[in-house]
Amino acid sequence: MNPLQLLMLLGQAVIPLLANMGKHHQAELLTDALAAVQAGKNIDDIMAQAVEDWKVNGEPTYDQIATARLAIQARMGE
Amino acid sequence: MKKIIALFAVVLAVVGCTGTRGLYELADTPTQYVKVVLIHHNALGTEVADLRADPTVSQASKAKLLAAYRVTVCGPNEHVEIALCLNGPAQQLEAAGRAYEALHNAKTEADMQKALTQLVGLMSTLINLVNGAK
């Protein structure tokens, strides 16, 4: 377990304790903080994978980046 | 208690940014920096798409995320669905990066800088929205 996973686990354990103590606002703040961190972590994981890809395959071409963007645009589902 | 929660969030945020920092550190040239920004934009787009598919995220947040992503890939005159947009700030930066890669001169550099400034400003809004989505 890395430090981030440990901190996330601790945070999730603290949320019900805060709620039980009647500190609902604080529990909500911590829930939001964890959700924000999770979103940031997801993006960071993608960036870390891009670092590995760059090191193994060399810098990506603009065509490769554009292809990935088009796939993301198609996922937006309006 | 608020201070503890804020500190907790800051610690987590710092621990969790090594991948992003690592990618930006790989860029040695202006065109590589542009590519990193575009990869970062794609990472944000991926998270936006994931959040839009998440049933726990509110409809209001989903609409804000979509609007914030839209302005990064659709030009002001492109009134089509996002999948069909071709001329937003991300594509303009991509084109400027390609032009600079093919021909290094003052004009292509200035065009690339202008496009970079525009997209990064919009990405900043997107980052704040992604981190506030619930």
Side-chain angles (χ1 to χ4, degrees):
Chain A
M1 183 177 288
N2 65 37
L4 179 61
Q5 288 170 322
L6 180 61
L7 283 166
M8 292 287 279
L9 203 62
L10 284 171
Q12 283 156 1
V14 169
I15 289 167
L17 288 176
L18 287 171
N20 283 341
M21 290 162 65
K23 298 188 177 298
H24 299 287
H25 180 60
Q26 285 84 352
E28 198 175 285
L29 284 174
L30 187 52
T31 302
D32 288 352
L34 287 177
V37 169
Q38 186 60 52
K41 183 186 177 304
N42 293 344
I43 291 166
D44 201 55
D45 287 347
I46 296 170
M47 296 293 270
Q49 184 58 53
V51 170
E52 292 307 310
D53 293 345
W54 188 304
K55 286 178 178 171
V56 172
N57 304 317
E59 75 181 78
T61 64
Y62 281 108
D63 282 347
Q64 288 171 324
I65 295 169
T67 299
R69 175 180 44 71
L70 285 169
I72 293 161
Q73 286 181 235
R75 282 190 61 205
M76 288 301 162
E78 290 166 286
Chain B
M1 183 57 71
K2 276 184 185 176
K3 282 182 183 174
I4 292 171
I5 291 170
L7 182 63
F8 190 85
V10 168
V11 169
L12 286 176
V14 170
V15 170
C17 71
T18 51
T20 304
R21 197 169 53 236
L23 192 59
Y24 276 92
E25 284 171 358
L26 279 180
D28 285 329
T29 65
T31 189
Q32 284 180 339
Y33 181 72
V34 164
K35 286 178 179 179
V36 168
V37 170
L38 290 170
I39 293 169
H40 193 181
H41 173 258
N42 279 348
L44 285 165
T46 300
E47 183 62 14
V48 168
D50 288 349
L51 286 167
R52 283 182 50 76
D54 185 338
T56 67
V57 176
S58 71
Q59 289 303 318
S61 288
K62 287 178 181 178
K64 283 182 191 171
L65 287 165
L66 188 68
Y69 181 74
R70 182 181 181 83
V71 295
T72 68
V73 293
C74 299
N77 297 320
E78 286 187 300
H79 305 295
V80 293
E81 60 183 273
I82 286 178
L84 301 176
C85 285
L86 300 170
N87 195 31
Q91 295 92 326
Q92 286 172 10
L93 177 58
E94 196 181 290
R98 286 179 197 266
Y100 180 81
E101 200 171 53
L103 182 65
H104 294 207
N105 63 28
K107 184 185 183 314
T108 55
E109 186 175 346
D111 288 347
M112 192 169 71
Q113 185 59 54
K114 186 180 169 190
L116 189 61
T117 302
Q118 187 184 12
L119 182 61
V120 168
L122 295 170
M123 281 170 60
S124 170
T125 303
L126 198 52
I127 289 168
N128 288 336
L129 278 174
V130 166
N131 285 340
K134 62 172 184 173

